[in-house]
Amino acid sequence: MALAIALVLKTFLVQAFVIPSGSMEQTIKIGDRVLVDKLTPWFGSKPERGDVVVFKDPGGWLKGEQTKPTDDGGAFKPVKDGLTFIGLLPSADEQDLIKRVVAVGGDTVKCCDKQGKVTVNGTPLTEPYVHPGNPPSTLKFSVTVPTGRIFVMGDHRSNSADSRFHLDEPYRGTVPEDNVVGRAVVIGWPFSHWRRLEEPDTFTTVHDAPGAKASAAGVPHRVSPESLTVLPTPAELPLVMGVVGLRRLTRGRVRGVRSRCGGLGGRRAVRNRRARGAGRAR
């Protein structure tokens, strides 16, 4: 019964991920365990500007990563495979990344204005979550995001191989919404880092692009990279999923943590979105 519950929770409700890289520092640090909301997408919820999301590799973002050889388990391989399937052991096949959504379908995201800020639909972004000492971007670009896709960036802008570094690929670095596993809602471990990942006020004044919902699907994707450089670091390591137990979820406490032996799984926390500011057009 416990194994069945763990499988259902991991599949449909909340999943825990271990962060192996520093692309989201200082918001999320290496080794942090984040709980990802997998429930609301089942009810039609779409990624929004400012969300921190986990998504499947859209193709080649993790290419060239070196992984440690894995033990096939020998005589215990069937048991190991079973525990991996239900989420009690980590899967070596997962190809997931974590970034912040900066622009959604129909938006035009640019870098940078005269003040050196990234803009979305002409609105400059004040981004307090960007890693201290990092500029918003050292790469100049202009991208109109196709409908059904998102443009993502890491908070550690000088250490994140995000959408900016895939502008020469199909769809110019944007990620399909269907690839999104869920929204990261809580840093659950270590307890010293515990906090909710709330939406910043950065995007409350950003308006939707005029006619975006009606015409974005028919507008060709446009990108004008003015300068491209090599990746600042190797592509991100795949996220490692872990087991997390939640107790008294309605009170917001995280009691269980991922075991040292690894694993994947978790439970579900339903996202309560904050009210959007009046300045944003719907």
Side-chain angles (χ1 to χ4, degrees):
M1 181 63 72
L3 296 182
I5 292 174
L7 178 60
V8 170
L9 292 176
K10 184 265 294 186
T11 303
F12 299 106
L13 302 179
V14 162
Q15 190 161 347
F17 291 83
V18 180
I19 307 303
S21 76
S23 69
M24 283 297 294
E25 291 178 334
Q26 296 289 336
T27 305
I28 306 174
K29 299 182 179 181
I30 296 174
D32 283 356
R33 276 69 164 169
V34 297
L35 303 185
V36 174
D37 171 9
K38 297 177 69 176
L39 178 63
T40 51
W42 287 86
F43 295 96
S45 176
K46 300 293 184 181
E48 297 188 11
R49 306 180 194 104
D51 287 352
V52 176
V53 296
V54 170
F55 57 95
K56 299 293 183 183
D57 185 354
W61 287 34
L62 296 172
K63 184 179 180 180
E65 279 299 332
Q66 295 182 354
T67 57
K68 296 181 180 179
T70 55
D71 182 5
D72 63 5
F76 296 97
K77 187 176 186 303
V79 176
K80 181 180 178 181
D81 290 345
L83 293 177
T84 299
F85 176 72
I86 63 174
L88 297 181
L89 284 179
S91 171
D93 299 326
E94 295 298 329
Q95 299 288 297
D96 300 320
L97 301 99
I98 185 167
K99 305 290 180 192
R100 188 181 297 276
V101 178
V102 176
V104 296
D107 289 344
T108 297
V109 54
K110 295 182 180 181
C111 177
C112 290
D113 65 5
K114 293 181 179 180
Q115 286 71 43
K117 295 182 178 182
V118 173
T119 66
V120 177
N121 299 333
T123 301
L125 304 180
T126 300
E127 303 181 279
Y129 44 77
V130 171
H131 190 283
N134 279 191
S137 179
T138 57
L139 298 180
K140 296 187 182 300
F141 56 87
S142 177
V143 175
T144 299
V145 183
T147 298
R149 304 184 74 91
I150 55 177
F151 190 93
V152 297
M153 299 172 72
D155 289 355
H156 196 170
R157 298 289 164 82
S158 297
N159 190 31
S160 177
D162 48 41
S163 291
R164 298 169 296 163
F165 293 92
H166 299 273
L167 297 175
D168 58 343
E169 299 176 4
Y171 299 101
R172 301 302 190 265
T174 59
V175 178
E177 291 178 351
D178 291 343
N179 280 35
V180 175
V181 175
R183 174 179 176 262
V185 292
V186 171
I187 300 175
W189 181 261
F191 286 138
S192 59
H193 295 173
W194 189 97
R195 69 185 182 90
R196 293 187 60 186
L197 295 171
E198 298 181 346
E199 293 181 8
D201 294 332
T202 301
F203 299 89
T204 56
T205 59
V206 175
H207 293 264
D208 290 334
K213 291 180 173 57
S215 62
V219 176
H221 185 75
R222 300 186 299 275
V223 58
S224 301
E226 299 178 19
S227 64
L228 292 175
T229 62
V230 296
L231 294 176
T233 61
E236 319 299 342
L237 289 172
L239 297 181
V240 180
M241 291 181 289
V243 176
V244 174
L246 298 180
R247 183 179 180 187
R248 301 178 69 88
L249 185 59
T250 56
R251 296 181 59 184
R253 285 186 61 87
V254 176
R255 297 297 300 271
V257 299
R258 178 181 182 272
S259 65
R260 290 185 179 272
C261 64
L264 49 109
R267 307 190 181 191
R268 179 65 182 171
V270 178
R271 178 186 179 192
N272 292 320
R273 290 184 178 273
R274 297 189 310 165
R276 290 286 182 176
R280 177 179 172 185
R282 287 287 183 177

